Amino acid sequence: MIIVVKPGANEAQVNEIIDVLEKNELQAHVSDGAERKIIGVIGDKSRLTPGSLEVLAGVEKIVPIMESYKLASRQFRPEGTSFNVKDVTIGGNELVMMAGPCAVESEEQVEAVASKMVACGVKVLRGGAYKPRTSPYAFQGLEKEGLKILRRVADRYGLLVISEITSENDIEYASNYLDIIQIGARNAQNFRLLSAVGKSGIPCMLKRGIAETIDEWLGSAEYIMSEGNYHIMMCERGIRTFETATRSTLDISAVPVLKGKTHLPIIVDPSHAAGKAQYVEPLALAAIAAGADGLIIEVHPDPKHARSDAAQQLTPDAYRELAERVKDMAAIVKRSYPKTAQF
Amino acid sequence: MIIVVKPGANEAQVNEIIDVLEKNELQAHVSDGAERKIIGVIGDKSRLTPGSLEVLAGVEKIVPIMESYKLASRQFRPEGTSFNVKDVTIGGNELVMMAGPCAVESEEQVEAVASKMVACGVKVLRGGAYKPRTSPYAFQGLEKEGLKILRRVADRYGLLVISEITSENDIEYASNYLDIIQIGARNAQNFRLLSAVGKSGIPCMLKRGIAETIDEWLGSAEYIMSEGNYHIMMCERGIRTFETATRSTLDISAVPVLKGKTHLPIIVDPSHAAGKAQYVEPLALAAIAAGADGLIIEVHPDPKHARSDAAQQLTPDAYRELAERVKDMAAIVKRSYPKTAQF
Amino acid sequence: MIIVVKPGANEAQVNEIIDVLEKNELQAHVSDGAERKIIGVIGDKSRLTPGSLEVLAGVEKIVPIMESYKLASRQFRPEGTSFNVKDVTIGGNELVMMAGPCAVESEEQVEAVASKMVACGVKVLRGGAYKPRTSPYAFQGLEKEGLKILRRVADRYGLLVISEITSENDIEYASNYLDIIQIGARNAQNFRLLSAVGKSGIPCMLKRGIAETIDEWLGSAEYIMSEGNYHIMMCERGIRTFETATRSTLDISAVPVLKGKTHLPIIVDPSHAAGKAQYVEPLALAAIAAGADGLIIEVHPDPKHARSDAAQQLTPDAYRELAERVKDMAAIVKRSYPKTAQF
Amino acid sequence: MIIVVKPGANEAQVNEIIDVLEKNELQAHVSDGAERKIIGVIGDKSRLTPGSLEVLAGVEKIVPIMESYKLASRQFRPEGTSFNVKDVTIGGNELVMMAGPCAVESEEQVEAVASKMVACGVKVLRGGAYKPRTSPYAFQGLEKEGLKILRRVADRYGLLVISEITSENDIEYASNYLDIIQIGARNAQNFRLLSAVGKSGIPCMLKRGIAETIDEWLGSAEYIMSEGNYHIMMCERGIRTFETATRSTLDISAVPVLKGKTHLPIIVDPSHAAGKAQYVEPLALAAIAAGADGLIIEVHPDPKHARSDAAQQLTPDAYRELAERVKDMAAIVKRSYPKTAQF
């Protein structure tokens, strides 16, 4: 941490700063510049309250040097993290393909998707059981029944289940039915939920909050990891900007930026970013080209009659075409594609 | 709702659209323009899934005409809402002044603030007991003990208590100690929490999510209202933009915009928007000038030693100066100031 | 400037950094922290190319300490700037009121506004002669004829003229007719225009670019000042964010932030920020409450028949009401209101 | 255009709306909905001033249906645009590779880049002669001398020259030296410059403004096209958002969105979006995967000693690696790569 001293600060004011630092067992290294005096602070800054220095009369501003996350940092595990969920490796050389409907509507619907996804190399079945919706009057999901449907269908095809959980109270029940908990964008800083998922030890996919910086997002991951759960995927799903041509703006740069900052695997969700089916394939390909470890994509057997987000769901046939192109692209970026794919 | 038909769509495609509408018991009014055919849709659109029309081959885009909230709409109660919490009227002509420390640290600390606030016209004591923090290693609040301290101190001075709740599981316990639940920016779309607060019937102050549009924010209010709890204040606390000179960008326009769109009272939190104590007073005055119904401001007896957000907390003396100027301004905008103020 | 050294950088890499600094006649102060080595850099950093240090193998990141503007900085003139344009003082205790139509349409139209504005305390007549419009097919302004109309009408009422110039080639001609050049949001970083206005010595009002940070905006002012023209007003007119309820988001915090960072006077344009007439008054009052030195507001004798931005222009009567309330508010914030006002 | 009538508007108010429309020779189609009356407007809306309807007492809001650009619209030329600049085809099946230093510093420097670029398939040499810089004290480019250097070097290697022009006054001179004019992000809505480039007939590459929506950007293209110059490339270079991990946020979705909205070719500039050399390759690959027609990338023989933007420039060797991977990727997305590439 660097403290920039106010121009014209007197000796007493500078001493007050040093005094506060020393009381917190921190060392102060003072440098006199032509235009500004600065104080380098060395030691365990977690003793200090954010803001407690800014209020001192002699302080112009504080410049943090270190990130506030540790376990999520690339330095914690420079070689990168990969982990197994049952027999599926997440974060390995092989891309992870996740697909399924936006919302679980019926067993027939999920079956109609899953039965076609296996041959596309999909290993994780997605589907919303608890749906966070902007309006209380919109379809809120089948809840518990939705989870049961996902499990039954997934078991028929040897797939893993991923589904969003929106309350700490649902984790125990849901743990009977799913393999990976999804934390959605709206709960990305619901720290109580994050801690509870951390304690559960269940692998999770952490979506980026709609206006979360990459550093804050890693702070959210740190909440889970600090409870001992290291099995986390980061999922970029678009951020909110001034542009409205797409539902959100896919921050494709987040992929290489995360690769530098964290050891955790990185998944991209082009469906929610795009909001429109015709943009999903180009964004999916871009994600793989940029280095993503996997994709999660919405597929519905009959998008016209979907009960939520109809406009962004692909048909199984459109998904198959996309998957074939992803497979071709995997070779270019030196990644392998699941061998279960039959093309 | 208006459907804009794709240029060049054939008759079968147009008929397909009309067919879907009629199956959902909606009427279609077709208009042929020089450049585009459009279809006006009349009836109860809640039958339709968002997106189910966009996927039809003949549809270029859908233009919503109505907001998705009803109870929160100004039309629902054109005269505006005011309600009493104990003997304090929220949303009346008299401004509501709320103040207190960012986080409850000790009974002495809260006492030191509250004892000076009463004479400034403050009627609601704020203080964080459960603190959502970006880093899991930062001070997380005194939790239950914090609520008890707030209650004891508030009772000594005849004040109401407002405090943030971050989990549906804490509502019942907290209801013994607080008068108004605060829902924070990070939980603004934690719909499970919103519904639970709705069911509790406890008055609440709903902060705007950091990237929530005004319409989405009213959708969050609708979640609470649809459970039967109409005692809600909206709290503008700054939105996330590209500008970093302040912690958030106070959207001052949200005050008049909300006055037009909703009947709910509007509070402004200049402390979190500013992030720095020296900007709090100008923003507080601007909020009153723009028509806010009240203010919630952070005050700490000794900001230098605060355990959170030290830089943005006012001293009791600085708060008193601010309050005196707010009182003067109240007269200009034809609002009354609490008579308990001793200046 | 602070250089944060990469964790694990070897001695040769650190020496390379120091070497580059010393070749540029800069001093390097190395501090060893528990977690990071940092290098404080002292001397004239303008010798360094931005980015030339980042590429060194041992550098993790560069943290600037000083702003890149000097003349625009509050430190350059701590007492603040005020200057006279003819007999009107800008940046003094008295608020500066500027008003007039969005676009000059005819002499009758400008006359109809100006004749009523004088008694409201307005001293500067605004009107667009060169109109930058998003579409090339929209009304582009009366250009030279517009400037002549403004001058003739202003002279009848003893008013100053402010009008937007969009090309360096128009400055010489325009200088015959206007007193203050307005630089619009879309040209806020048109550095050729800024330099030319600087060389002209004509007082100017510099609008903030739609996505310009406050520091970049002061950089734009520095372009004008570095050519010797110090007669600049900064004009906050709203920034682009995700919120679309208003045309732009008025960054009200920019007023106190600028008061701290610069000595230049600060004007607020609530008309363009709001985009709707009904929000103009609350935003105008908020601006004065927050400390603005003046207002520029669009007024049209018959907004229904305006040729541009009809929705945001006030009628002369609505403007008069606004002005009366601004006058009342001036007293609260210890500012005087022009004595020419007849109310 | 759709007019949504205010709830409760009386007959006189509705008639006033119809009256205004009919005076402008527009037809009004009134539909009565359960909750709102709407009026569909048919005819040539360019007769109406934006905003002139909003001010009528009976109007709640106006919903535009059509874009304001015509020539730039995909409908104008559904098959897409390709054009030749000398012997280089832009917008054809073959990708267009543009590369060169951020700023022209000397003939040796440009030579050192160009000599290595030809064998990488580069056909257009870039280099900044007029540099728009945030600070007036930063290096502003070699100006005229810079253009001459570019031309001499380009001619030695049979390359085209692209360079940024920042004033209409430089076009005539520059036309002697360059083949393609670049319009930079800061001048994206400098309509005087756009019109002048339109009149010049010189091919141009139009960068997106830092906070320009895609529709506004196409409006900027329309300014050029409406003067008769149809040889335009759109260049996505990142937009401003709250995220600061990269210099700008590359809006990768803009590529497929533009493919739908316009017939103009689309180039991506990963260098300015990233701001850091290590992110350039993943973003370049993502751009090609998403469907871009070409890339413009900064390459410097010795980034450590560059006079501007050192951190984001690639070495010639790093560029060659990138180009090899782009060539591999071209095959996946069914594009050809320039045959001049010697790998």
Side-chain angles (χ1 to χ4, degrees):
Chain A
M1 181 194 294
I2 304 290
I3 299 170
V4 183
V5 177
K6 276 215 182 109
N10 61 32
E11 204 183 318
Q13 290 169 328
V14 175
N15 286 340
E16 187 189 29
I17 300 169
I18 295 168
D19 205 47
V20 169
L21 294 174
E22 292 182 345
K23 277 194 185 134
N24 284 286
E25 295 176 32
L26 296 165
Q27 294 173 46
H29 288 225
V30 181
S31 304
D32 282 295
E35 293 165 322
R36 285 284 196 290
K37 189 190 289 281
I38 60 171
I39 303 174
V41 183
I42 291 168
D44 175 13
K45 264 77 68 177
S46 68
R47 298 164 167 281
L48 282 168
T49 305
S52 61
L53 292 164
E54 277 95 336
V55 294
L56 300 178
V59 172
E60 176 155 314
K61 65 176 170 181
I62 303 294
V63 182
I65 299 298
M66 293 286 296
E67 293 83 9
S68 60
Y69 48 88
K70 307 280 176 192
L71 304 173
S73 167
R74 167 66 69 171
Q75 288 171 256
F76 179 71
R77 201 177 277 181
E79 71 283 8
T81 278
S82 77
F83 57 90
N84 271 24
V85 184
K86 291 180 179 164
D87 60 343
V88 178
T89 303
I90 312 276
N93 184 263
E94 188 176 290
L95 298 177
V96 179
M97 300 295 282
M98 305 189 244
C102 175
V104 176
E105 298 169 11
S106 70
E107 187 149 352
E108 293 64 37
Q109 172 230 22
V110 179
E111 170 74 27
V113 173
S115 61
K116 295 192 175 172
M117 293 299 98
V118 178
C120 296
V122 169
K123 292 196 176 168
V124 185
L125 178 65
R126 66 146 286 150
Y130 300 91
K131 300 294 303 170
R133 304 297 295 276
T134 307
S135 165
Y137 310 122
F139 174 54
Q140 308 276 321
L142 298 183
E143 305 188 348
K144 292 183 179 182
E145 183 55 27
L147 291 176
K148 289 181 187 171
I149 290 172
L150 282 171
R151 184 76 271 161
R152 283 199 299 268
V153 176
D155 283 348
R156 278 204 283 281
Y157 295 98
L159 297 167
L160 300 184
V161 168
I162 184 170
S163 196
E164 179 169 357
I165 294 302
T166 59
S167 167
E168 53 193 293
N169 297 335
D170 295 334
I171 295 175
E172 194 181 333
Y173 181 85
S175 68
N176 298 311
Y177 300 99
L178 50 65
D179 302 294
I180 305 170
I181 290 176
Q182 175 180 312
I183 296 171
R186 293 183 180 83
N187 284 304
Q189 293 194 306
N190 178 343
F191 300 127
R192 296 289 282 270
L193 178 59
L194 296 176
S195 293
V197 169
K199 283 175 190 138
S200 78
I202 301 171
C204 81
M205 185 178 81
L206 175 63
K207 287 200 165 185
R208 183 178 185 178
I210 201 161
E212 220 179 6
T213 64
I214 290 173
D215 279 343
E216 289 171 339
W217 185 16
L218 289 167
S220 292
E222 191 84 3
Y223 262 91
I224 302 169
M225 296 182 83
S226 67
E227 300 289 352
N229 183 355
Y230 290 11
H231 290 175
I232 302 173
M233 291 171 266
M234 306 297 279
C235 177
E236 164 65 31
R237 46 76 72 212
I239 56 173
R240 180 153 282 180
T241 70
F242 63 84
E243 178 59 66
T244 57
T246 42
R247 185 167 167 173
S248 299
T249 298
L250 185 71
D251 182 7
I252 192 74
S253 312
V255 176
V257 170
L258 279 176
K259 287 282 171 200
K261 282 179 176 269
T262 186
H263 53 86
L264 296 168
I266 298 142
I267 305 296
V268 170
D269 172 355
S271 303
H272 281 86
K276 287 186 187 161
Q278 71 261 40
Y279 303 145
V280 173
E281 183 178 303
L283 296 185
L285 295 175
I288 298 302
D293 296 301
L295 295 168
I296 183 162
I297 290 177
E298 292 192 356
V299 184
H300 193 283
D302 183 12
K304 287 182 200 180
H305 297 99
R307 294 186 68 185
S308 64
D309 288 348
Q312 77 197 28
Q313 299 192 63
L314 298 185
T315 61
D317 287 350
Y319 181 78
R320 187 183 172 96
E321 277 180 46
L322 175 154
E324 289 182 18
R325 300 188 81 183
V326 168
K327 187 184 173 195
D328 290 344
M329 185 152 293
I332 304 296
V333 292
K334 306 202 182 346
R335 301 295 291 254
S336 60
Y337 192 83
K339 278 151 208 74
T340 46
Q342 292 168 15
F343 42 67
Chain B
M1 180 194 294
I2 304 291
I3 300 170
V4 183
V5 177
K6 274 212 183 112
N10 60 33
E11 205 183 318
Q13 290 170 330
V14 175
N15 286 341
E16 187 189 29
I17 300 169
I18 295 169
D19 204 49
V20 169
L21 294 174
E22 292 183 347
K23 277 194 185 133
N24 284 286
E25 295 175 32
L26 298 165
Q27 293 172 47
H29 288 225
V30 181
S31 304
D32 282 295
E35 291 165 324
R36 284 285 196 292
K37 189 189 289 283
I38 59 170
I39 302 175
V41 182
I42 291 167
D44 175 12
K45 263 78 68 177
S46 69
R47 298 165 168 278
L48 283 169
T49 305
S52 62
L53 291 165
E54 277 95 335
V55 294
L56 300 178
V59 172
E60 177 156 312
K61 65 176 170 181
I62 303 295
V63 182
I65 300 299
M66 296 283 296
E67 293 83 10
S68 60
Y69 49 87
K70 307 281 173 191
L71 304 173
S73 167
R74 167 66 68 171
Q75 289 172 254
F76 180 70
R77 201 177 278 180
E79 72 283 9
T81 279
S82 78
F83 57 90
N84 271 25
V85 185
K86 291 179 180 164
D87 60 342
V88 178
T89 303
I90 313 275
N93 185 264
E94 187 175 289
L95 297 176
V96 179
M97 300 294 281
M98 307 189 243
C102 175
V104 176
E105 297 168 12
S106 70
E107 186 148 353
E108 293 65 37
Q109 171 230 25
V110 179
E111 171 72 28
V113 173
S115 61
K116 296 193 176 172
M117 293 299 98
V118 178
C120 296
V122 169
K123 294 197 174 166
V124 184
L125 178 65
R126 65 146 288 149
Y130 300 90
K131 301 294 304 169
R133 305 297 296 276
T134 307
S135 164
Y137 310 122
F139 174 53
Q140 308 277 320
L142 297 183
E143 304 188 349
K144 291 183 178 182
E145 184 54 28
L147 290 176
K148 289 182 188 171
I149 290 172
L150 283 171
R151 183 77 271 161
R152 284 198 299 268
V153 176
D155 283 348
R156 277 203 283 280
Y157 295 98
L159 297 167
L160 300 185
V161 168
I162 184 172
S163 196
E164 179 170 356
I165 294 301
T166 58
S167 166
E168 54 193 289
N169 297 334
D170 295 333
I171 295 174
E172 194 181 333
Y173 181 85
S175 67
N176 298 310
Y177 300 98
L178 51 66
D179 301 295
I180 305 171
I181 290 176
Q182 175 181 312
I183 296 170
R186 293 184 181 84
N187 284 305
Q189 293 196 305
N190 178 343
F191 300 125
R192 295 289 285 268
L193 178 60
L194 297 175
S195 293
V197 170
K199 283 176 189 136
S200 79
I202 301 170
C204 81
M205 185 177 80
L206 176 63
K207 288 200 164 185
R208 183 179 185 178
I210 201 162
E212 220 179 6
T213 64
I214 290 174
D215 279 343
E216 289 171 340
W217 185 15
L218 289 167
S220 292
E222 190 84 5
Y223 262 91
I224 302 169
M225 298 183 81
S226 67
E227 300 288 352
N229 183 354
Y230 290 10
H231 290 176
I232 302 173
M233 291 171 264
M234 306 297 280
C235 177
E236 165 64 31
R237 45 79 70 211
I239 56 174
R240 180 154 281 181
T241 70
F242 63 84
E243 178 58 67
T244 57
T246 42
R247 185 168 166 172
S248 299
T249 298
L250 186 70
D251 182 7
I252 192 74
S253 313
V255 178
V257 170
L258 279 177
K259 286 282 172 202
K261 284 178 175 270
T262 187
H263 52 86
L264 297 168
I266 298 142
I267 306 296
V268 169
D269 172 355
S271 303
H272 281 88
K276 288 186 187 160
Q278 73 260 41
Y279 303 145
V280 172
E281 184 178 302
L283 296 185
L285 295 174
I288 298 302
D293 296 300
L295 295 169
I296 183 162
I297 290 177
E298 291 192 356
V299 184
H300 192 284
D302 184 10
K304 286 182 201 180
H305 297 99
R307 295 186 67 186
S308 63
D309 288 347
Q312 76 196 28
Q313 298 191 65
L314 299 184
T315 61
D317 287 350
Y319 181 79
R320 188 185 170 94
E321 278 181 47
L322 175 153
E324 289 182 19
R325 301 189 79 184
V326 168
K327 187 185 172 194
D328 291 342
M329 185 152 295
I332 303 296
V333 291
K334 306 199 184 344
R335 301 295 291 253
S336 60
Y337 192 84
K339 278 148 211 73
T340 46
Q342 291 168 16
F343 43 66
Chain C
M1 180 194 295
I2 304 290
I3 299 171
V4 183
V5 177
K6 274 213 182 111
N10 60 34
E11 206 183 316
Q13 290 170 329
V14 174
N15 286 341
E16 187 189 30
I17 300 170
I18 295 169
D19 205 48
V20 169
L21 294 173
E22 293 183 346
K23 277 194 184 133
N24 284 286
E25 295 176 31
L26 297 164
Q27 293 171 46
H29 288 226
V30 181
S31 304
D32 282 295
E35 292 164 323
R36 285 284 196 292
K37 189 190 291 280
I38 59 170
I39 303 174
V41 183
I42 291 167
D44 176 11
K45 263 78 67 176
S46 68
R47 298 164 168 279
L48 282 169
T49 305
S52 62
L53 291 164
E54 277 95 335
V55 294
L56 300 179
V59 172
E60 176 156 313
K61 64 175 173 182
I62 302 295
V63 182
I65 300 299
M66 295 284 296
E67 292 83 11
S68 60
Y69 49 88
K70 307 280 176 193
L71 304 173
S73 167
R74 168 66 69 171
Q75 289 172 254
F76 179 71
R77 201 177 277 181
E79 71 283 10
T81 278
S82 77
F83 57 90
N84 271 24
V85 185
K86 293 179 178 164
D87 60 343
V88 179
T89 304
I90 313 275
N93 185 263
E94 187 176 290
L95 297 176
V96 179
M97 300 295 281
M98 306 189 242
C102 175
V104 176
E105 297 167 12
S106 70
E107 186 149 351
E108 294 65 36
Q109 172 229 25
V110 179
E111 171 74 28
V113 174
S115 62
K116 296 194 175 171
M117 294 298 98
V118 178
C120 296
V122 169
K123 294 196 174 168
V124 184
L125 178 65
R126 65 146 287 149
Y130 299 91
K131 301 293 304 171
R133 305 295 297 275
T134 308
S135 165
Y137 310 121
F139 174 55
Q140 308 277 319
L142 297 183
E143 305 187 348
K144 292 183 177 181
E145 183 54 28
L147 290 175
K148 290 182 185 170
I149 290 173
L150 283 171
R151 184 76 270 161
R152 285 198 299 268
V153 176
D155 283 348
R156 279 203 283 279
Y157 295 98
L159 297 167
L160 300 185
V161 168
I162 184 171
S163 197
E164 179 170 356
I165 294 301
T166 59
S167 167
E168 53 194 290
N169 297 335
D170 296 334
I171 294 174
E172 194 180 333
Y173 180 85
S175 68
N176 298 311
Y177 300 99
L178 51 66
D179 303 294
I180 305 171
I181 291 177
Q182 175 181 311
I183 296 171
R186 292 184 181 83
N187 284 304
Q189 294 196 305
N190 178 344
F191 300 125
R192 296 289 282 271
L193 178 59
L194 297 175
S195 293
V197 169
K199 283 174 188 136
S200 78
I202 301 170
C204 80
M205 185 178 80
L206 175 63
K207 288 201 164 185
R208 182 179 187 178
I210 200 160
E212 222 179 4
T213 64
I214 290 173
D215 279 342
E216 288 171 340
W217 185 16
L218 289 167
S220 292
E222 190 85 5
Y223 263 91
I224 302 168
M225 298 183 83
S226 67
E227 300 287 352
N229 183 354
Y230 291 9
H231 290 176
I232 302 173
M233 291 170 264
M234 306 297 280
C235 178
E236 165 63 31
R237 45 78 71 211
I239 56 173
R240 180 153 281 180
T241 70
F242 63 84
E243 179 57 67
T244 58
T246 42
R247 186 168 166 171
S248 299
T249 298
L250 185 71
D251 182 7
I252 191 74
S253 312
V255 177
V257 170
L258 280 176
K259 286 283 171 201
K261 283 177 174 270
T262 186
H263 53 86
L264 297 168
I266 297 142
I267 306 296
V268 170
D269 172 355
S271 303
H272 281 87
K276 288 187 187 160
Q278 71 261 40
Y279 304 146
V280 172
E281 184 178 302
L283 296 185
L285 295 174
I288 298 303
D293 296 302
L295 294 169
I296 183 162
I297 290 177
E298 292 191 356
V299 184
H300 192 284
D302 183 10
K304 286 182 200 180
H305 297 99
R307 294 187 68 186
S308 65
D309 289 346
Q312 76 196 28
Q313 299 192 65
L314 297 185
T315 61
D317 287 350
Y319 182 77
R320 189 185 170 94
E321 278 180 46
L322 175 153
E324 289 182 19
R325 302 190 80 185
V326 168
K327 187 185 173 196
D328 290 342
M329 186 153 294
I332 304 295
V333 293
K334 305 197 182 347
R335 302 294 292 253
S336 60
Y337 193 85
K339 279 150 209 71
T340 47
Q342 292 167 15
F343 41 67
Chain D
M1 182 194 293
I2 304 291
I3 299 170
V4 183
V5 177
K6 275 215 182 110
N10 61 32
E11 204 182 319
Q13 291 170 328
V14 175
N15 286 341
E16 187 189 29
I17 300 169
I18 295 169
D19 204 48
V20 169
L21 294 174
E22 292 182 346
K23 277 193 185 133
N24 284 286
E25 295 176 32
L26 296 165
Q27 294 172 46
H29 287 227
V30 182
S31 304
D32 282 295
E35 292 165 322
R36 283 287 195 290
K37 190 189 289 281
I38 61 171
I39 302 175
V41 183
I42 291 167
D44 175 12
K45 263 76 68 176
S46 69
R47 298 164 167 279
L48 283 169
T49 306
S52 61
L53 291 165
E54 277 95 334
V55 294
L56 301 179
V59 172
E60 177 156 314
K61 66 176 170 180
I62 303 295
V63 182
I65 300 298
M66 295 284 298
E67 293 82 11
S68 59
Y69 48 88
K70 307 280 176 192
L71 304 173
S73 167
R74 166 67 69 171
Q75 289 172 255
F76 180 70
R77 201 178 277 181
E79 72 283 8
T81 279
S82 78
F83 57 88
N84 271 25
V85 185
K86 291 180 179 163
D87 59 343
V88 178
T89 304
I90 312 276
N93 184 264
E94 187 176 291
L95 298 176
V96 179
M97 300 294 283
M98 306 190 244
C102 176
V104 176
E105 297 168 11
S106 70
E107 186 149 351
E108 293 65 36
Q109 172 230 23
V110 179
E111 170 74 27
V113 173
S115 62
K116 294 193 176 173
M117 293 299 98
V118 178
C120 296
V122 169
K123 292 194 174 169
V124 185
L125 178 65
R126 66 146 286 147
Y130 300 91
K131 300 294 305 170
R133 304 297 295 275
T134 307
S135 165
Y137 310 121
F139 173 55
Q140 308 276 318
L142 298 182
E143 305 187 349
K144 292 183 178 182
E145 184 55 27
L147 291 175
K148 290 181 185 170
I149 290 172
L150 282 171
R151 184 76 270 162
R152 285 198 299 267
V153 176
D155 283 348
R156 278 203 283 281
Y157 295 98
L159 296 168
L160 300 184
V161 168
I162 184 170
S163 196
E164 180 169 357
I165 295 301
T166 59
S167 166
E168 52 194 290
N169 298 335
D170 295 334
I171 295 174
E172 194 180 334
Y173 181 85
S175 68
N176 299 311
Y177 300 98
L178 51 66
D179 302 294
I180 305 171
I181 290 176
Q182 176 180 311
I183 297 170
R186 293 183 181 84
N187 283 304
Q189 293 195 306
N190 178 342
F191 300 126
R192 295 289 283 268
L193 178 59
L194 297 176
S195 293
V197 170
K199 284 175 188 135
S200 78
I202 301 171
C204 81
M205 186 178 80
L206 175 62
K207 287 201 165 185
R208 183 179 185 176
I210 201 161
E212 220 179 5
T213 64
I214 290 173
D215 279 344
E216 289 171 339
W217 185 16
L218 289 167
S220 293
E222 191 83 6
Y223 263 91
I224 303 169
M225 297 182 83
S226 67
E227 300 288 352
N229 183 354
Y230 290 10
H231 290 175
I232 302 172
M233 291 170 266
M234 307 296 280
C235 178
E236 164 64 32
R237 47 76 71 211
I239 56 173
R240 181 154 281 180
T241 70
F242 63 84
E243 179 59 66
T244 57
T246 42
R247 185 168 167 173
S248 300
T249 298
L250 185 71
D251 183 6
I252 192 74
S253 312
V255 177
V257 170
L258 280 177
K259 287 283 171 199
K261 283 178 175 270
T262 186
H263 53 85
L264 297 168
I266 298 141
I267 306 296
V268 169
D269 173 354
S271 303
H272 281 86
K276 288 186 188 161
Q278 71 261 40
Y279 303 146
V280 173
E281 183 178 302
L283 296 185
L285 295 175
I288 298 302
D293 296 302
L295 294 169
I296 183 162
I297 290 176
E298 292 192 356
V299 184
H300 193 284
D302 184 11
K304 288 182 199 180
H305 298 99
R307 295 186 67 186
S308 65
D309 288 347
Q312 76 196 28
Q313 299 192 64
L314 298 185
T315 61
D317 287 349
Y319 181 78
R320 187 183 172 96
E321 277 180 46
L322 176 153
E324 289 182 18
R325 300 189 81 184
V326 168
K327 186 185 173 196
D328 290 342
M329 186 153 293
I332 304 296
V333 293
K334 307 202 180 348
R335 302 294 291 252
S336 60
Y337 192 84
K339 278 150 209 72
T340 46
Q342 291 169 15
F343 43 66

